[in-house]
Amino acid sequence: MPTIKMDSKILPILYRFCGQALRYPDSGWPMADLQTRFQEILTIVKADEEGQELSRFFAAEKEESILETLQIEYTRLFINSYGGVVAPLYASVYIDGILWGAFSETIRERYLRSGYSPDDTNEPPDHLATQLEFLALLHESGRPTEAEQFLAQSFRPWFSRFYQRFSAGNPHIFYRVLVELIDYLTLEEEP
Amino acid sequence: MAFKLTRRTFLQSAALAAMSAPLAKIAYAESTLAPAALEAKGTFADETVCGGICEMCFWRCQIIGKKRGDRLVKLEGNPKSIDNGAAICARGNAGIQMLYDPDRLKYPLKNTGERGKPVWKRISWDEAFAEIGEKLGAAIKKYGAHGLCMFPHGASAKYPMQFFDNIVGTPNISEASFFQCRGVRDTAYMSSTSIPPNESVDMANAKVIFLLGSHLGENIHVSHIKNYIQGLQNGAKLIVVDPRYSAAAAKSDVWLAIKPGTDTAFLLAMINYLIEKKKYQADFVENHTAGLDELTVGVREWTLARAAAECDLPAEKIQLVADMLAENAPNVSLHPGRHVSWYGNDFQRQRALACLTALLGAYYVRGGWCPGKAPKVEEIGWAKSEHDEKFDLNIKEDGKRKYPFSPPGTPTDLIRDTAISGNPYPIKACVIWGQNPIQTIPDQEKTKNMLKQMDFVLCVDIQPTDITMWADILLPQASYLERYDLIKTGVQWNLADKHQQYIAARMPLSPPLFERKDQVFITNAIAKALGHGDKIPAESLEQLVDKSLAAAGLSLSQLKKEDGIHIQDGKDPFVIPEDFEVLLFNEEIADAGFPGVPTYIPVPQPPPGFARLVYGRVQVHTFNRTQNNAWLHQEMPVNPLWINDETAAKLGLKDGDTVGFVNQDGVKSPTTTIVKATPGIRKDVVYMAHGYGSKNPLLTVGVGAGVDDTQLISKASVDPESGTHGMRNNFVQLIKDGKTLDIPA
């Protein structure tokens, strides 16, 4: 059985935090805060090597070039890339082989059945960040069991495939840490 | 990665708890889910949306969409259509896959790497327009409007093309649909009948259907195929002239496996025979043609025997075809073809076809060439303006046109050569809109060299085709399923049925996903960035379409009420206009220094060891436009090489073997395809479907699948009258297991 502490207050915050970090890093993106929080998380989980690598990245360049590096990497990993996009952020790509496939609709139905609706009709509903927000909402509204069901039935089946593709794409340390954290927060833990 | 803590411990740690406030500051910054009314499972109703017009090919069938929730799940023909009806083809069905293709462009991209080896960065539309304004503006300021060139294609490119043509004022615009496809057909017929012919042959009611190179059946356009099949069902005899036993040849009564490039000689021999034997339609010729005497003299040398030798056909068979046509005239459909940029002698061939049709009296009659009388809507667009002729590359120093019978725009090589040489002036900015010049224009290296020397390259497309690798800024356009657009007008598909007309405007079946925008939004923003905001003719594509419809007393809201298609009474098409005249001899052509009667110009023959490379369409693809469509790819993942079975046996090749190619210029195909050994092709020709073998890894389905025939077409033959490209004068050898194989004669 899943072992995430049901009454955890911090878990939905972490889901949401990861979702925000998955937004495209434009000029309004909270880069400095994200850096600080990631460094702190890496310290807590004793991922010293990654913490140092991340620290070196942020220390080595000016803010504009850090942002541009992350923009180029985000585009390569998740949008379009000359070598082939590494890992799109949409569940349906991994289940149906298509954007906004039947699985996207399944996910959207799931949101609606819990009383939530995507407010952006230009964006497929099965974006990773949207699913993390949904998990957070379920926890925040006192429905951890539903969250566990969603994780097991809808989230993990595609995320594990995403994770494999992502990991094989030589991702930048920032996104490596981010996706690793999402995996850590959503994976069923051994008792 | 090593997270050296169990999650339970992590979540319960005091250190993490201490972080909750600063984490929450970020965590709640933006939200994508809003509270909504609870919906029980299974409450989604299916919905039908009307008003679609397909663009998986240029035929533009009227379609409807079936939606489930927000997702488009199926496309069908609009049952109200009097054109394609409820039917659409495989490509039309696969529009769903195009719409939701994960590889499609989603956001504006900036190339932070090199042209040809891009490193993309997503940027905002504002950033994109600022950069476009700065770079295009700088090029125009430094080099003049003629320092910019454009390669547009398709319905979405019309509005921006008018902007760059009329407002910016560049004459350097070259459309593939003209210069690498049907332009030479249109100008040849314009010089003969004053009317571009389209594919307006009433095959459904013909006694004989004559196809010169057209491979209907592999070339599927729904109402056109219905028309063709109805003709065959009604008992029309089918004559197919093609070096390959095509799908059409397989249904033919007479198949002539003609030697490639000699079609004009074949047509001239039939013209000569009909005149000599007085088997032409004398009344029509008397009343609706001019120049019979000159034509008679001009074709006299083309006896059946001479044509037989030139075309490698039996003389009796040429006579048989001429007699079949004469005996059934005027109810004969001589198909004008579509993609007819073949050998660089195409203007004269198309003229010959138009003149032969005239001798048979097959204009405006049942079963002949007969355009339906379609309704009119108004063309709304950017205000027209005149160009300064001194920058028109098609005008020589003496004021005459280099290619007097060019389609609209500038012949492609005049632009490429000028850009590369800088003579007579520099061309330093390039706009590519909906076209993939890498896989449409022969001599890819020349295209690349042209792009390398540009100061700025802008591409607008729905997907990352090969050309987009050369862009500095790449903009994602809404596809035909996501936007308002083109107004299609026409008549019922079978001219023998009750005369009706229709008007249909494209309406979106799905909202545009991500940040895709339509051509009016993009063009207007570019216009503003270049200081032409005051000349914008419509604020939105929807408004543009509505204005056009108003001329016909319609509106988008009215069309929606009518399920996407307005139908009204039509007019009898079988009435020949009094002033309709076919110029069998054209003095203007003669005055320009070209043959005034249709004339055969021999084409280069394969060198020893090589075969001519010929290409065509397939049912499940629209050239490179659909190569990344996973559904269509599944149906035909590569483009098999058709090769004569005896030749294949001599080379030790069998069906399914893998081969690559090298052409007469040493250009090698980087990919391979499979062999289809068949008696159904001449020994001096090999054939493959066009539009395979993309080089762009962004197209994860189409990249490297099959062979890119355009890469092997390194030698472009330019038609002397029209400046259009002939693309079938290239020759190949095969490469098997690293060894180059000479193709026996």
Side-chain angles (χ1 to χ4, degrees):
Chain A
M1 284 296 292
T3 57
I4 292 174
K5 195 173 184 320
M6 296 305 181
D7 61 353
S8 171
K9 296 279 191 298
I10 194 75
L11 186 58
I13 295 175
L14 284 167
Y15 283 147
R16 286 179 180 273
F17 170 79
C18 291
Q20 301 296 336
L22 277 171
R23 279 176 39 224
Y24 185 67
D26 56 19
S27 55
W29 196 64
M31 188 168 70
D33 283 348
L34 282 166
Q35 180 201 350
T36 309
R37 302 290 86 83
F38 271 118
Q39 296 283 183
E40 289 169 354
I41 289 170
L42 290 174
T43 303
I44 296 170
V45 297
K46 299 177 183 168
D48 300 339
E49 210 173 295
E50 288 76 15
Q52 285 162 16
E53 195 178 343
L54 193 66
S55 184
R56 279 197 300 274
F57 163 67
F58 280 106
E61 296 186 71
K62 289 183 182 167
E63 194 166 314
E64 302 86 63
S65 34
I66 290 171
L67 189 64
E68 181 163 58
T69 300
L70 293 177
Q71 288 175 330
I72 291 170
E73 179 64 350
Y74 188 101
T75 306
R76 181 184 82 87
L77 290 171
F78 306 129
I79 302 176
N80 287 108
S81 156
Y82 176 58
V85 61
V86 172
L89 291 165
Y90 304 93
S92 180
V93 171
Y94 304 89
I95 302 296
D96 303 314
I98 196 169
L99 282 169
W100 213 315
F103 191 69
S104 313
E105 210 55 43
T106 305
I107 297 275
R108 199 176 77 99
E109 281 192 57
R110 187 68 192 77
Y111 298 159
L112 287 169
R113 289 212 309 277
S114 296
Y116 302 104
S117 172
D119 58 7
D120 182 356
T121 55
N122 293 338
E123 182 75 29
D126 53 344
H127 191 284
L128 173 53
T130 311
Q131 295 191 45
L132 290 171
E133 186 182 344
F134 179 61
L135 284 166
L137 284 163
L138 292 176
H139 279 284
E140 287 161 359
S141 58
R143 291 180 280 180
T145 309
E146 280 187 48
E148 295 307 325
Q149 282 172 350
F150 181 77
L151 270 179
Q153 292 168 4
S154 303
F155 187 89
R156 286 306 306 187
W158 78 269
F159 184 83
S160 57
R161 296 183 202 180
F162 161 83
Y163 183 73
Q164 275 182 355
R165 264 178 69 170
F166 172 84
S167 303
N170 190 27
H172 185 279
I173 180 65
F174 178 83
Y175 288 106
R176 198 151 35 100
V177 166
L178 171 59
V179 170
E180 189 71 28
L181 180 60
I182 295 169
D183 185 55
Y184 180 70
L185 295 173
T186 57
L187 192 63
E188 281 189 31
E189 202 169 42
E190 293 298 322
Chain B
M1 191 173 291
F3 280 20
K4 300 185 186 73
L5 211 61
T6 66
R7 186 175 56 212
R8 180 193 300 271
T9 313
F10 170 65
L11 291 174
Q12 293 175 339
S13 71
L16 185 62
M19 276 177 69
S20 65
L23 276 174
K25 183 184 151 199
I26 298 172
Y28 290 89
E30 283 193 22
S31 170
T32 55
L33 287 171
L38 284 170
E39 287 196 33
K41 192 174 183 180
T43 51
F44 286 150
D46 288 355
E47 180 194 359
T48 298
V49 276
C50 295
I53 295 183
C54 189
E55 187 87 30
M56 290 298 279
C57 81
F58 58 83
W59 203 254
R60 294 163 182 156
C61 294
Q62 298 102 68
I63 54 176
I64 57 171
K66 302 283 187 183
K67 288 184 96 167
R68 189 162 298 153
D70 287 339
R71 191 167 63 96
L72 201 57
V73 293
K74 191 170 188 298
L75 299 170
E76 295 175 359
N78 189 328
K80 196 179 173 187
S81 169
I82 55 172
D83 178 54
N84 57 289
I88 53 172
C89 71
R91 293 165 298 165
N93 273 285
I96 296 284
Q97 172 68 29
M98 178 283 302
L99 178 63
Y100 298 130
D101 184 346
D103 293 337
R104 266 190 61 196
L105 300 171
K106 305 168 190 73
Y107 306 96
L109 298 174
K110 177 177 179 172
N111 185 359
T112 61
E114 295 172 46
R115 285 190 203 127
K117 290 180 185 168
V119 177
W120 296 114
K121 181 177 86 166
R122 175 183 163 183
I123 55 175
S124 70
W125 279 103
D126 286 345
E127 287 174 286
F129 291 132
E131 179 131 350
I132 292 164
E134 181 193 331
K135 297 283 174 59
L136 274 188
I140 293 166
K141 188 174 176 190
K142 186 170 180 184
Y143 304 107
H146 53 282
L148 185 152
C149 64
M150 183 183 194
F151 296 90
H153 182 74
S156 75
K158 190 174 175 184
Y159 184 81
M161 183 173 70
Q162 277 184 348
F163 167 70
F164 284 106
D165 186 352
N166 297 350
I167 306 300
V168 174
T170 180
N172 297 320
I173 296 176
S174 198
E175 284 187 85
S177 51
F178 284 152
F179 291 97
Q180 285 81 35
C181 188
R182 66 185 166 89
V184 68
R185 176 198 73 181
D186 293 351
T187 59
Y189 272 73
M190 290 285 285
S191 300
S192 310
T193 67
S194 303
I195 305 170
N198 297 318
E199 290 83 62
S200 304
V201 272
D202 181 26
M203 294 182 286
N205 303 293
K207 294 176 181 169
V208 174
I209 300 169
F210 175 86
L211 303 179
L212 187 74
S214 290
H215 46 246
L216 300 186
E218 286 156 292
N219 177 3
I220 300 259
H221 305 113
V222 174
S223 60
H224 201 51
I225 289 295
K226 283 163 70 175
N227 196 351
Y228 165 66
I229 297 295
Q230 186 65 58
L232 298 181
Q233 281 180 342
N234 289 348
K237 299 292 182 195
L238 178 61
I239 299 163
V240 174
V241 185
D242 197 316
R244 185 176 64 96
Y245 195 65
S246 62
K251 294 196 176 297
S252 67
D253 296 279
V254 183
W255 172 45
L256 297 101
I258 195 167
K259 182 178 177 181
T262 66
D263 313 73
T264 315
F266 166 71
L267 294 170
L268 297 183
M270 290 204 293
I271 290 173
N272 186 34
Y273 174 79
L274 294 179
I275 294 173
E276 267 190 357
K277 303 293 179 191
K278 298 200 181 307
K279 290 191 174 191
Y280 58 88
Q281 295 284 304
D283 283 351
F284 183 92
V285 170
E286 173 70 23
N287 295 322
H288 291 288
T289 70
L292 179 64
D293 292 344
E294 290 91 338
L295 180 67
T296 303
V297 173
V299 301
R300 189 170 283 157
E301 63 182 312
W302 283 103
T303 61
L304 295 176
R306 183 172 174 196
E310 186 69 20
C311 305
D312 194 18
L313 293 169
E316 310 80 61
K317 225 167 174 180
I318 303 175
Q319 182 180 335
L320 170 72
V321 169
D323 283 334
M324 280 173 72
L325 289 170
E327 285 160 15
N328 292 284
N331 310 110
V332 291
S333 286
L334 278 73
H335 199 294
R338 173 94 189 179
H339 183 97
V340 294
S341 295
W342 295 347
Y343 304 110
N345 63 0
D346 306 308
F347 182 83
Q348 293 293 337
R349 184 190 64 248
Q350 294 301 122
R351 278 265 298 143
L353 200 50
C355 291
L356 177 61
T357 306
L359 292 183
L360 296 164
Y363 286 105
Y364 292 101
V365 291
R366 263 177 195 273
W369 180 86
C370 186
K373 293 185 187 303
K376 299 271 187 248
V377 292
E378 192 177 351
E379 288 260 339
I380 305 287
W382 299 87
K384 287 197 168 52
S385 64
E386 294 298 317
H387 291 140
D388 188 339
E389 286 201 342
K390 75 178 178 183
F391 298 118
D392 186 338
L393 295 170
N394 197 20
I395 294 184
K396 296 185 285 188
E397 284 180 6
D398 62 6
K400 293 182 177 168
R401 283 158 65 83
K402 285 178 191 165
Y403 301 106
F405 303 96
S406 160
T410 299
T412 312
D413 273 336
L414 295 182
I415 296 176
R416 290 196 303 187
D417 291 342
T418 298
I420 291 168
S421 68
N423 184 23
Y425 53 74
I427 298 178
K428 290 291 186 181
C430 184
V431 176
I432 298 157
W433 203 300
Q435 190 188 145
N436 179 9
I438 294 288
Q439 287 194 289
T440 52
I441 303 175
D443 194 348
Q444 293 178 345
E445 290 309 308
K446 191 189 271 193
T447 301
K448 291 174 188 173
N449 289 334
M450 173 189 74
L451 294 169
K452 280 176 191 167
Q453 64 82 49
M454 294 287 173
D455 288 351
F456 182 65
V457 178
L458 166 67
C459 279
V460 184
D461 211 312
I462 66 164
Q463 60 181 339
T465 63
D466 281 10
I467 193 66
T468 63
M469 293 195 289
W470 296 83
D472 297 323
I473 296 286
L474 174 55
L475 301 181
Q477 186 164 246
S479 72
Y480 70 93
L481 293 171
E482 300 164 288
R483 66 173 195 251
Y484 289 91
D485 199 1
L486 177 112
I487 298 171
K488 172 135 182 183
T489 63
V491 301
Q492 81 286 353
W493 69 269
N494 186 345
L495 294 182
D497 291 346
K498 180 188 170 193
H499 302 315
Q500 289 182 299
Q501 300 177 329
Y502 71 88
I503 300 173
R506 176 174 288 147
M507 295 183 248
L509 300 182
S510 171
L513 297 178
F514 307 103
E515 291 189 7
R516 295 166 186 156
K517 302 289 184 187
D518 67 54
Q519 66 269 28
V520 169
F521 174 91
I522 299 171
T523 308
N524 285 355
I526 293 174
K528 287 173 189 166
L530 293 176
H532 296 297
D534 56 325
K535 305 180 188 77
I536 287 171
E539 291 302 325
S540 69
L541 188 43
E542 193 173 355
Q543 189 189 79
L544 188 80
V545 175
D546 239 345
K547 281 187 179 182
S548 298
L549 285 170
L554 286 170
S555 63
L556 280 168
S557 60
Q558 179 60 29
L559 273 186
K560 281 174 190 165
K561 284 181 200 158
E562 298 184 38
D563 296 330
I565 304 175
H566 173 74
I567 294 175
Q568 60 194 32
D569 288 342
K571 295 173 183 165
D572 183 0
F574 302 118
V575 181
I576 190 164
E578 273 186 26
D579 60 351
F580 181 75
E581 184 179 58
V582 184
L583 300 178
L584 305 177
F585 167 72
N586 183 317
E587 198 172 342
E588 193 190 349
I589 298 175
D591 286 349
F594 302 101
V597 295
T599 298
Y600 170 61
I601 300 156
V603 300
Q605 294 302 313
F610 287 76
R612 186 182 301 272
L613 174 64
V614 172
Y615 61 88
R617 297 181 194 272
V618 289
Q619 301 91 330
V620 295
H621 278 291
T622 302
F623 292 161
N624 64 73
R625 188 186 306 190
T626 57
Q627 63 187 308
N628 204 57
N629 191 299
W631 294 1
L632 299 174
H633 176 84
Q634 174 72 20
E635 295 304 311
M636 191 168 169
V638 297
N639 49 347
L641 172 78
W642 287 53
I643 184 168
N644 179 272
D645 56 350
E646 291 179 14
T647 305
K650 284 181 188 170
L651 294 172
L653 296 173
K654 57 184 187 306
D655 261 6
D657 279 355
T658 301
V659 289
F661 301 84
V662 58
N663 81 353
Q664 75 284 337
D665 297 328
V667 176
K668 284 187 181 176
S669 62
T671 54
T672 58
T673 189
I674 57 170
V675 166
K676 174 188 170 79
T678 168
I681 191 164
R682 289 174 57 95
K683 292 179 180 172
D684 50 359
V685 184
V686 293
Y687 173 92
M688 66 175 76
H690 173 64
Y692 279 80
S694 168
K695 313 288 191 304
N696 194 342
L698 266 74
L699 297 173
T700 56
V701 175
V703 65
V707 167
D708 175 11
D709 58 302
T710 309
Q711 184 168 18
L712 298 166
I713 304 174
S714 54
K715 182 181 161 206
S717 303
V718 178
D719 184 84
E721 288 92 346
S722 67
T724 58
H725 274 140
M727 299 190 280
R728 294 180 179 179
N729 289 333
N730 284 260
F731 310 105
V732 293
Q733 291 176 306
L734 306 184
I735 301 173
K736 173 84 174 118
D737 299 330
K739 274 179 60 182
T740 302
L741 307 177
D742 273 359
I743 297 178

